[in-house]
Amino acid sequence: LLKLNKEDTDYHETCGNIPKISHWIEHGDELPCSLGGFAIHLPGISKGFFGFHFPKHNIFVLGDAVDKGQLGRCDYYCSSLDDLRTSICKRVLPLPEETVLLCAY
């Protein structure tokens, strides 16, 4: 199943041979897995970028949102440094100190 945020629909439609979207992810949605995770909307890299928080395991998967202790990628045509800063400040920094951030690099 391919799941994207509605805000990235225009990007999805220009990517070519991608399977049809089965349903949308929204901020706070529980992930259908045994790890007890949640989808966390982190606009910045794109309008519809998401991270995945697994609070029972103190893990937050951020992908490109953070890179080696600094803000992540903002060099895409749809990126916004201001949105990424806001996402990190509102949704990542308030996490407990013991939370491990898993980044793309």
Side-chain angles (χ1 to χ4, degrees):
L1 297 177
L2 182 65
K3 303 173 185 178
L4 295 173
N5 183 274
K6 291 178 186 176
E7 295 180 49
D8 276 340
T9 302
D10 61 333
Y11 177 75
H12 175 263
E13 290 172 354
T14 63
C15 288
N17 200 11
I18 295 178
K20 186 176 179 177
I21 296 170
S22 60
H23 63 281
W24 302 106
I25 289 178
E26 299 292 339
H27 176 75
D29 282 357
E30 191 169 348
L31 301 175
C33 68
S34 62
L35 297 174
F38 297 91
I40 305 298
H41 188 211
L42 297 170
I45 293 174
S46 71
K47 293 176 188 176
F49 190 81
F50 273 82
F52 302 100
H53 186 210
F54 301 92
K56 293 178 186 176
H57 303 281
N58 294 319
I59 294 173
F60 196 109
V61 181
L62 292 152
D64 285 347
V66 174
D67 180 16
K68 298 176 188 166
Q70 62 188 10
L71 286 176
R73 302 224 20 200
C74 282
D75 56 340
Y76 301 116
Y77 79 95
C78 56
S79 298
S80 166
L81 182 57
D82 289 338
D83 288 349
L84 183 57
R85 282 188 186 128
T86 299
S87 293
I88 298 300
C89 288
K90 287 184 174 181
R91 305 234 164 105
V92 178
L93 292 180
L95 294 171
E97 191 173 318
E98 60 272 10
T99 303
V100 175
L101 303 180
L102 298 179
C103 309
Y105 303 98

